[in-house]
Coordinates of all heavy atoms in Angstrom, one line a residue:
F140 N -133.2 61.8 11.8 CA -133.4 60.3 11.6 C -132.7 59.5 12.7 O -131.5 59.7 12.9 CB -133.0 59.8 10.1 CG -134.0 60.2 9.1 CD1 -133.8 61.4 8.4 CD2 -135.1 59.4 8.9 CE1 -134.5 61.8 7.4 CE2 -135.9 59.9 7.8 CZ -135.7 61.0 7.2
D141 N -133.4 58.6 13.3 CA -132.8 57.8 14.3 C -133.6 56.4 14.3 O -134.4 56.1 15.3 CB -132.7 58.4 15.6 CG -131.9 57.5 16.6 OD1 -131.2 56.6 16.2 OD2 -132.1 57.8 17.9
L142 N -133.5 55.7 13.3 CA -134.2 54.4 13.1 C -133.3 53.2 13.2 O -132.2 53.2 12.6 CB -134.9 54.4 11.8 CG -136.0 55.3 11.4 CD1 -136.5 55.0 10.0 CD2 -137.1 55.1 12.5
E143 N -133.8 52.2 13.8 CA -133.0 51.0 13.7 C -134.1 49.8 13.5 O -135.2 49.8 14.1 CB -132.5 50.7 15.2 CG -131.3 49.6 15.2 CD -130.8 49.7 16.6 OE1 -129.9 50.5 16.8 OE2 -131.1 48.8 17.3
R144 N -133.6 48.9 12.6 CA -134.5 47.8 12.3 C -133.8 46.5 12.3 O -132.7 46.3 11.9 CB -135.2 48.0 10.8 CG -136.1 49.1 10.7 CD -137.4 48.9 11.3 NE -138.3 49.8 10.8 CZ -138.6 51.1 11.6 NH1 -137.8 51.4 12.6 NH2 -139.4 51.9 11.1
R145 N -134.4 45.4 12.9 CA -133.9 44.1 12.9 C -135.0 43.1 12.9 O -135.7 42.8 13.8 CB -133.2 43.9 14.2 CG -132.2 42.6 14.2 CD -131.1 42.7 15.2 NE -131.5 43.3 16.5 CZ -130.8 42.9 17.6 NH1 -129.9 41.9 17.5 NH2 -131.0 43.4 18.8
P146 N -135.2 42.7 11.5 CA -136.5 41.7 11.3 C -136.3 40.6 12.3 O -135.2 39.9 12.4 CB -136.2 41.3 9.9 CG -135.6 42.5 9.2 CD -134.7 42.9 10.4
P147 N -137.4 40.2 13.0 CA -137.3 39.1 14.0 C -137.2 37.8 13.3 O -136.8 36.7 13.9 CB -138.6 39.2 14.8 CG -139.5 39.9 13.9 CD -138.6 40.9 13.0
N148 N -137.7 37.7 12.0 CA -137.6 36.5 11.2 C -136.5 36.4 10.2 O -136.4 37.3 9.3 CB -138.9 36.2 10.5 CG -140.1 36.1 11.3 OD1 -140.3 34.9 12.0 ND2 -140.9 37.0 11.4
R149 N -135.5 35.4 10.5 CA -134.3 35.3 9.6 C -134.8 35.0 8.1 O -134.2 35.4 7.2 CB -133.4 34.3 10.2 CG -132.2 33.9 9.3 CD -131.4 32.8 9.9 NE -130.4 33.4 10.8 CZ -129.5 32.7 11.4 NH1 -129.3 31.4 11.0 NH2 -128.6 33.2 12.2
H150 N -135.8 34.1 8.0 CA -136.2 33.5 6.8 C -137.4 34.2 6.2 O -138.6 34.1 6.8 CB -136.4 32.0 7.0 CG -135.3 31.3 7.6 ND1 -134.1 31.0 6.9 CD2 -135.0 30.9 8.9 CE1 -133.3 30.5 7.7 NE2 -133.8 30.3 8.9
R151 N -137.3 35.0 5.2 CA -138.4 35.7 4.5 C -138.3 35.6 3.0 O -137.7 36.3 2.3 CB -138.3 37.2 5.0 CG -138.0 37.4 6.4 CD -138.1 38.8 6.8 NE -137.1 39.7 6.3 CZ -135.8 39.7 6.6 NH1 -135.4 39.1 7.6 NH2 -135.0 40.5 6.0
G152 N -138.9 34.5 2.6 CA -138.5 34.1 1.2 C -139.7 34.0 0.2 O -140.9 33.9 0.7
V153 N -139.4 33.8 -1.0 CA -140.3 33.5 -2.0 C -139.8 32.4 -3.0 O -138.6 32.4 -3.2 CB -140.5 34.8 -2.9 CG1 -141.5 34.5 -4.2 CG2 -141.2 35.9 -2.1
C154 N -140.6 31.4 -3.2 CA -140.2 30.3 -4.0 C -141.0 30.2 -5.4 O -142.1 30.5 -5.4 CB -140.6 29.0 -3.2 SG -140.2 27.4 -4.1
I155 N -140.2 30.0 -6.4 CA -140.8 30.0 -7.7 C -141.9 28.8 -7.8 O -141.6 27.7 -7.4 CB -139.7 29.8 -8.7 CG1 -140.3 30.1 -10.2 CG2 -139.0 28.5 -8.8 CD1 -139.2 30.3 -11.3
E156 N -143.0 29.1 -8.4 CA -144.1 28.2 -8.6 C -144.9 28.7 -9.7 O -144.7 29.8 -10.2 CB -145.0 27.9 -7.4 CG -144.4 26.8 -6.5 CD -144.7 25.5 -7.1 OE1 -145.4 25.2 -8.0 OE2 -144.1 24.4 -6.5
G157 N -145.9 27.9 -10.2 CA -146.7 28.5 -11.3 C -146.1 28.6 -12.5 O -145.2 28.0 -12.8
A158 N -146.6 29.7 -13.3 CA -146.1 29.9 -14.7 C -145.6 31.3 -14.9 O -146.2 32.1 -15.3 CB -147.3 29.6 -15.6
P159 N -144.3 31.4 -14.5 CA -143.8 32.8 -14.6 C -142.8 33.1 -15.9 O -142.3 32.1 -16.4 CB -142.9 32.9 -13.4 CG -142.3 31.6 -13.3 CD -143.4 30.6 -13.8
S160 N -142.9 34.3 -16.4 CA -141.9 34.7 -17.4 C -140.7 35.2 -16.6 O -140.8 35.4 -15.4 CB -142.5 35.8 -18.3 OG -142.5 37.1 -17.5
L161 N -139.7 35.4 -17.5 CA -138.5 36.1 -16.8 C -138.8 37.3 -16.2 O -138.3 37.6 -15.1 CB -137.3 36.1 -17.9 CG -136.1 36.7 -17.4 CD1 -135.4 35.8 -16.2 CD2 -135.0 36.9 -18.5
R162 N -139.6 38.2 -16.9 CA -139.9 39.5 -16.5 C -140.7 39.4 -15.1 O -140.4 40.2 -14.2 CB -140.9 40.2 -17.6 CG -141.2 41.5 -17.2 CD -140.2 42.5 -17.4 NE -139.4 42.9 -16.3 CZ -138.1 43.1 -16.2 NH1 -137.4 43.2 -17.3 NH2 -137.5 43.5 -15.0
H163 N -141.6 38.5 -15.0 CA -142.3 38.3 -13.7 C -141.4 38.0 -12.6 O -141.5 38.6 -11.5 CB -143.4 37.2 -13.8 CG -144.5 37.4 -14.8 ND1 -144.9 36.4 -15.7 CD2 -145.0 38.6 -15.3 CE1 -145.8 37.0 -16.5 NE2 -145.9 38.2 -16.3
V164 N -140.4 37.1 -12.8 CA -139.6 36.7 -11.7 C -138.6 37.9 -11.4 O -138.4 38.2 -10.3 CB -138.7 35.4 -12.0 CG1 -137.7 35.1 -11.0 CG2 -139.7 34.2 -12.1
L165 N -138.0 38.5 -12.5 CA -137.1 39.6 -12.2 C -137.9 40.7 -11.4 O -137.3 41.4 -10.5 CB -136.5 40.1 -13.5 CG -135.6 39.2 -14.2 CD1 -134.9 39.8 -15.4 CD2 -134.5 38.6 -13.3
D166 N -139.2 41.0 -11.8 CA -139.9 42.1 -11.1 C -140.0 41.6 -9.6 O -139.9 42.5 -8.7 CB -141.2 42.3 -11.8 CG -141.2 43.1 -13.0 OD1 -140.1 43.6 -13.3 OD2 -142.2 43.2 -13.7
M167 N -140.3 40.4 -9.4 CA -140.5 39.9 -8.1 C -139.2 40.1 -7.2 O -139.1 40.6 -6.1 CB -140.8 38.5 -8.1 CG -140.9 37.7 -6.7 SD -142.0 38.4 -5.5 CE -143.5 37.5 -5.8

Side-chain angles (χ1 to χ4, degrees):
F140 286 92
D141 186 15
L142 293 181
E143 196 175 282
R144 294 286 191 271
R145 190 152 46 144
N148 293 288
R149 172 181 278 189
H150 305 283
R151 310 184 304 279
V153 173
C154 173
I155 194 168
E156 270 288 347
S160 72
L161 179 63
R162 183 74 265 148
H163 298 143
V164 173
L165 294 184
D166 282 351
M167 172 60 92

